[in-house]
Amino acid sequence: MSDNQNLLAEQRRALILDEVRRRGGVRVNELTRRLNVSDMTVRRDLDALARQGVVEKVHGGAVPVVEASSHEPGFEAKSGLELGAKEAIATAAAALVPPGSAIALAGGTTAYALAHHLLDVPDLTVVTNSVRVADVFQSGQRRPGANHAEATATVVITGGVRTPSETLVGPVADRAIQALHFDLLFLGVHGISVEAGLSTPNLAEAETNRHFVRSARRVVVIADHTKWGTVGLSSFAALEDVDTLVTDAGIPEVLRAEISEHLADLIVAGEPTES
């Protein structure tokens, strides 16, 4: 972790959470030295992370919370995590989108980051079940300096029942998706593993994601390295159903080799691709 007194609170908390998960726990006095902030600042950060349900405070520090497979964090709880990784993934994923495409963006904070990078891609048709993603395109088309002539997006939001992660799921969403066909699907995940494939703690979201996968010509999973090894309550696709995985440089080499046995196309954001 960097000794930077000027880190934003969300950046600092993301660093703290990464350290908690990597080491299995941290102490307040260690964090004050590493982050070059006061004891009170660290304790406020730990309080905030505890309220999000991602760490448990113990005497003198914090330890990670072991989540049940049915626990579904809210959008706000996830939005401040792995910011650098999500931004790198979003940049790499946006490069896969040609002008004039019909794409689907399923819900999640990485898809939300990707949406911002797609605002200037011309003539997109975007189908999404994410309230947050739809808001990005709506507000982006009104932003000062937006090139409406070249970067107009037609956005279709599926309808359905809203989940804690601000996605719309259920029979209404499923019927809307079944009737459509996408050139590209960008799919964030709660968890991913070789054995369980792609999974989520929400049963209705799993079913909606199955319809997304069936309706797409190419399935692109956008998932940072912390999603590996996490298994939600319901699996909705195998790794073999995925055409491209875009992840970040935090994924270890041994896991990259294992993933490559199941996927034809692995993109590690921020690293050069093989020609």
Side-chain angles (χ1 to χ4, degrees), residues 61-215:
V63 295
V65 170
V66 179
E67 293 180 349
S69 61
S70 60
H71 174 66
E72 183 177 9
F75 186 93
E76 296 300 337
K78 296 184 290 185
S79 61
L81 306 178
E82 302 297 332
L83 293 174
K86 289 174 184 176
E87 183 64 19
I89 290 168
T91 301
L96 302 177
V97 181
S101 300
I103 69 170
L105 280 176
T109 53
T110 309
Y112 177 74
L114 172 58
H116 288 85
H117 286 265
L118 297 178
L119 289 174
D120 296 319
V121 179
D123 301 321
L124 286 184
T125 299
V126 181
V127 177
T128 185
N129 68 331
S130 168
V131 176
R132 298 296 186 115
V133 167
D135 285 345
V136 169
F137 286 101
Q138 183 177 12
S139 60
Q141 290 173 4
R142 297 196 305 263
R143 75 192 193 279
N147 191 334
H148 301 289
E150 294 187 3
T152 301
T154 300
V155 180
V156 178
I157 191 163
T158 62
V161 178
R162 191 180 300 211
T163 72
S165 58
E166 300 284 351
T167 59
L168 302 175
V169 300
V172 173
D174 297 346
R175 285 195 295 271
I177 295 164
Q178 281 178 312
L180 300 172
H181 303 281
F182 317 116
D183 299 313
L184 282 164
L185 163 65
F186 291 96
L187 187 63
V189 295
H190 171 82
I192 182 169
S193 72
V194 172
E195 296 79 12
L198 316 181
S199 62
T200 173
N202 188 302
L203 292 173
E205 186 171 22
E207 184 62 19
T208 297
N209 284 345
R210 289 186 192 104
H211 289 292
F212 266 130
V213 171
R214 291 172 191 148
S215 295

